[in-house]
Amino acid sequence: TKITKKEDYLKLFPEDSRNENERIRYTALKESQDIRKFEIDLYWRRTGFFWAFITIVYTAFFSVLCKYIDCPCNEELCKYSFLVPVISSLSGLGFFFSVAWHMVNKGSKFWQKNWEKHVSLLETTEIGPLYDVYLNPKGSFWERICPTKAFDFSVTKINMWASTIMMIASLAGTIGINVWLIKERHQDLCFVIIPSIVILVFSICLILFSDGNKDI
């Protein structure tokens, strides 16, 4: 339900005369608080999940790459040529999981903010503006750079920037390793880039067709 006014939103949870702990608005507030905590917990679980996947992929990538680099002569290169698409695929998978991690971060942030907004709207008449009051939200520049001072950095924004940098670095790495395989190791163009192109197409589809709030 699309609501643009606070008054219209509160009409969905009318005040009633039932027991204090059974009132609709009070119950909705408690549910919103619980779901908000659940979303925050899921946010960091998902981050750990993707860090594990990305670490595993790049560990396998560098292991295979080192094996391939240790074969300098042409005879050995022919023997281990089957590693070329593996190297390209693992590099592409690193990019794919980086994109997925960034998108999951954005989705998790959306739902966290969604339930924070529910709490903010419901709490006013129940417990007061508890979630809307901040302790010194705008610190000084000294507080920002001082290692012993607290500052209101957005932890989720930092995480999203980290995933953005990882996504850019993994894309650059995928392009770089493919160019190296073609130019320095003289591998067949199609043999090298097809695995990366397939994974790139999946990444684009993931970005374009992963909306979770579309009308059915």
Side-chain angles (χ1 to χ4, degrees), residues 67-68 71-85 185-187 191:
K67 181 70 174 177
Y68 181 74
C71 307
C73 65
N74 291 332
E75 183 179 344
E76 287 291 312
L77 280 178
C78 291
K79 180 181 177 182
Y80 288 98
S81 60
F82 72 93
L83 294 178
V84 173
R185 292 289 171 134
H186 310 291
Q187 296 294 334
F191 199 46

Side-chain angles (χ1 to χ4, degrees), residues 2-213:
K2 296 181 180 179
I3 302 294
T4 57
K5 295 181 180 180
K6 181 178 179 180
E7 294 77 15
D8 294 335
Y9 174 83
L10 292 177
K11 287 179 182 177
L12 299 174
F13 308 96
E15 287 283 9
D16 49 31
S17 58
R18 288 185 293 171
N19 184 283
E20 175 69 21
N21 293 329
E22 295 179 353
R23 291 186 299 110
I24 293 176
R25 192 173 297 178
Y26 179 84
T27 303
L29 173 61
K30 292 303 177 184
E31 287 291 330
S32 298
Q33 290 172 331
D34 289 341
I35 297 173
R36 173 184 174 272
K37 285 185 270 186
F38 180 66
E39 287 293 340
I40 293 172
D41 181 55
L42 279 182
Y43 181 93
W44 293 111
R45 287 188 188 183
R46 291 163 183 156
T47 292
F49 172 82
F50 278 101
W51 266 121
F53 258 106
I54 291 170
T55 301
I56 291 170
V57 167
Y58 278 114
T59 298
F61 166 76
F62 283 111
S63 177
V64 175
L65 182 62
C66 289
K67 181 70 174 177
Y68 181 74
I69 291 174
D70 288 340
C71 307
C73 65
N74 291 332
E75 183 179 344
E76 287 291 312
L77 280 178
C78 291
K79 180 181 177 182
Y80 288 98
S81 60
F82 72 93
L83 294 178
V84 173
V86 177
I87 292 170
S88 180
S89 298
L90 287 172
S91 179
L93 279 175
F95 172 69
F96 176 80
F97 281 116
S98 296
V99 171
W101 176 34
H102 182 68
M103 293 176 64
V104 167
N105 282 341
K106 290 172 70 68
S108 296
K109 181 66 174 177
F110 172 85
W111 289 110
Q112 179 189 333
K113 289 180 70 68
N114 173 74
W115 290 107
E116 285 177 349
K117 190 62 178 177
H118 277 281
V119 172
S120 177
L121 291 169
L122 290 166
E123 69 177 359
T124 306
T125 58
E126 301 298 317
I127 58 175
L130 181 63
Y131 282 89
D132 289 337
V133 177
Y134 300 95
L135 174 64
N136 189 23
K138 295 298 179 182
S140 64
F141 179 74
W142 168 245
E143 289 176 321
R144 178 185 291 272
I145 63 173
C146 180
T148 59
K149 295 286 187 180
F151 192 81
D152 64 326
F153 288 114
S154 172
V155 181
T156 52
K157 284 183 180 179
I158 293 171
N159 198 38
M160 282 192 280
W161 274 111
S163 62
T164 301
I165 292 172
M166 187 68 194
M167 185 171 56
I168 294 171
S170 61
L171 177 61
T174 299
I175 295 171
I177 199 66
N178 285 346
V179 170
W180 177 79
L181 287 170
I182 294 167
K183 286 193 172 184
E184 300 298 327
R185 292 289 171 134
H186 310 291
Q187 296 294 334
D188 182 76
L189 179 65
C190 295
F191 199 46
V192 173
I193 67 171
I194 285 179
S196 296
I197 289 177
V198 170
I199 293 172
L200 179 61
V201 170
F202 273 103
S203 300
I204 293 172
C205 291
L206 190 70
I207 295 171
L208 296 179
F209 304 110
S210 297
D211 295 18
N213 212 18

